[in-house]
Amino acid sequence: MILSHIASSHETRHLDRSAAKWRDPRITLLLLLVLVLPLHLPAQQPHFSGQAAYSLTEQFLAAAPKRFNGSPGHVKAEEFLKQHFAAENAKGNFETDSFSARTPAGQQSLRNYIVKYPGKKDGIIVLATHYETNYPLRDINFYGANDGAATTALLIEIGRILRTHPPEGYSVWLVFDDGEEAVESWSNSDSLYGTRHLAAKWANDGTLPKIKAFLLADMCGDKDLNIDKDSNSTPWLLDMLAVAAKNTGHTASIFKYETTVQDDHLPFKQRGVPVLDIIDIDYGPHTTAAPEGYHHTADDTLDKVSARSLQVSGDLFMEMIRLVDQK
């Protein structure tokens, strides 16, 4: 009984000391800080969604399956872009670059669209894609799911991220250019209408020297994705793409082939801008009937595109923005 009483008394004193400890105002303040601080932590940076980009590809194709110059589908494609960038337009950060070009089919009216996300550093990173379909293929069911639609969707999805998380480094401009495809047959004068016009315009108004990198998205949504090592791209940007692939776990998805691609980056390269073409020109099986695979055929349809490939490409573009910022 005595031992039991002593133990009970000791336990009471122990509990009293514990209670006194919790009444210490310093402890109370610490507990309050622990409870309150998490509410003020910065929101998690949103990630690029390949599935969202795939869904946008599907929506874009439904709205404007055939988008060759002068067609009703071309107008629908423009409306689709304007709809998705209404918030940027309201802020004065959506620009329509209308111009006229002399083509083998006569004078054509074309439009580039530029969406601007101002950054905190002096300089611009441009992400570009063409959104129209091939004019010579206007009489067949050519929809350009990988060749124009998927990359248009990819840039729209990147715009969704930049809308809520503006660039901390250089400004990022999204360019949806028109008239990449030849109107009759590919040549220096019959191709790249939109980017030739835009490069000249930006050279005249002083924008060109501010561009730190011109990153082009083309045909990088196909299921069997492996982005080429394009010799027309700037070497240090190719090296940086290898780093971006390593950082994002996508090394297996790049540089299986070395190519020399004539594409929308050339008008900027010719004016001294660092350029990178993120493209997989090896698209589909090559046969006697279709030596270029699905490229520029009626088989370039949504079922040849995948959310996974768009995820890889989107991850690479987002990481390239980060790496260029750090250069």
Side-chain angles (χ1 to χ4, degrees):
M1 288 292 294
I2 296 173
L3 288 174
S4 176
H5 174 73
I6 293 171
S8 176
S9 176
H10 174 75
E11 183 179 354
T12 302
R13 289 196 300 272
H14 175 74
L15 291 173
D16 286 345
R17 287 197 301 269
S18 298
K21 180 178 71 173
W22 289 114
R23 287 197 298 270
D24 188 324
R26 292 171 299 177
I27 300 297
T28 304
L29 178 60
L30 180 61
L31 284 171
L32 286 172
L33 288 172
V34 169
L35 291 170
V36 172
L37 279 177
L39 300 177
H40 299 284
L41 290 175
Q44 186 178 4
Q45 185 76 8
H47 295 290
F48 181 93
S49 169
Q51 185 57 56
Y54 181 85
S55 297
L56 283 165
T57 305
E58 185 175 23
Q59 294 166 29
F60 188 55
L61 287 169
K66 299 174 72 171
R67 308 174 296 281
F68 60 87
N69 298 341
S71 68
H74 192 273
V75 175
K76 291 289 185 183
E78 295 175 321
E79 291 173 353
F80 191 90
L81 291 172
K82 292 174 185 176
Q83 172 192 343
H84 279 275
F85 292 107
E88 288 74 16
N89 191 31
K91 294 180 178 180
N93 291 331
F94 182 90
E95 177 185 340
T96 302
D97 173 36
S98 301
F99 64 101
S100 181
R102 182 179 297 174
T103 78
Q107 206 74 13
Q108 290 192 351
S109 297
L110 300 100
R111 281 164 293 279
N112 298 321
Y113 294 98
I114 302 104
V115 190
K116 301 178 180 180
Y117 296 92
K120 296 180 179 179
K121 291 167 62 176
D122 186 20
I124 304 163
I125 300 171
V126 175
L127 277 57
T129 180
H130 77 96
Y131 66 92
E132 95 288 6
T133 49
N134 186 290
Y135 189 84
L137 301 179
R138 62 193 180 279
D139 294 327
I140 70 167
N141 291 327
F142 176 68
Y143 303 129
N146 187 38
D147 192 5
T151 47
T152 296
L154 186 148
L155 261 61
I156 292 174
E157 169 62 7
I158 290 175
R160 177 192 66 81
I161 297 172
L162 297 174
R163 182 176 301 126
T164 55
H165 289 73
E168 292 291 327
Y170 297 121
S171 297
V172 177
W173 291 8
L174 307 180
V175 171
F176 300 86
D177 63 83
D178 202 358
E180 183 262 359
E181 303 282 11
V183 171
E184 186 174 81
S185 60
W186 190 280
S187 68
N188 290 336
S189 60
D190 185 18
S191 65
L192 312 181
Y193 291 96
T195 47
R196 283 194 287 124
H197 165 80
L198 194 57
K201 176 182 177 180
W202 283 351
N204 291 332
D205 69 12
T207 299
L208 215 61
K210 299 177 183 178
I211 300 176
K212 303 301 180 181
F214 181 94
L215 310 178
L216 179 63
D218 197 2
M219 295 180 63
C220 55
D222 63 305
K223 287 181 177 179
D224 184 24
L225 181 69
N226 199 286
I227 292 161
D228 300 324
K229 189 173 186 178
D230 166 46
S231 63
N232 272 331
S233 294
T234 302
W236 68 261
L237 279 171
L238 286 170
D239 292 342
M240 188 176 283
L241 180 60
V243 175
K246 181 179 179 181
N247 291 350
T248 56
H250 298 317
T251 299
S253 296
I254 69 166
F255 296 171
K256 182 179 180 180
Y257 301 111
E258 293 192 18
T259 56
T260 302
V261 184
Q262 298 183 53
D263 209 343
D264 271 323
H265 58 324
L266 292 186
F268 289 88
K269 177 184 178 179
Q270 290 158 3
R271 293 177 182 271
V273 175
V275 298
L276 176 67
D277 195 0
I278 295 183
I279 185 171
D280 178 4
I281 202 72
D282 184 39
Y283 180 39
H286 302 275
T287 64
T288 303
E292 293 189 40
Y294 303 139
H295 184 219
H296 285 178
T297 73
D299 289 322
D300 184 2
T301 47
L302 183 64
D303 58 301
K304 313 303 190 305
V305 174
S306 78
R308 180 192 174 279
S309 293
L310 286 167
Q311 185 69 56
V312 171
S313 297
D315 289 347
L316 290 174
F317 271 96
M318 296 303 295
E319 182 65 4
M320 284 297 297
I321 293 172
R322 192 184 72 83
L323 292 174
V324 173
D325 274 335
Q326 291 180 348
K327 181 175 166 57

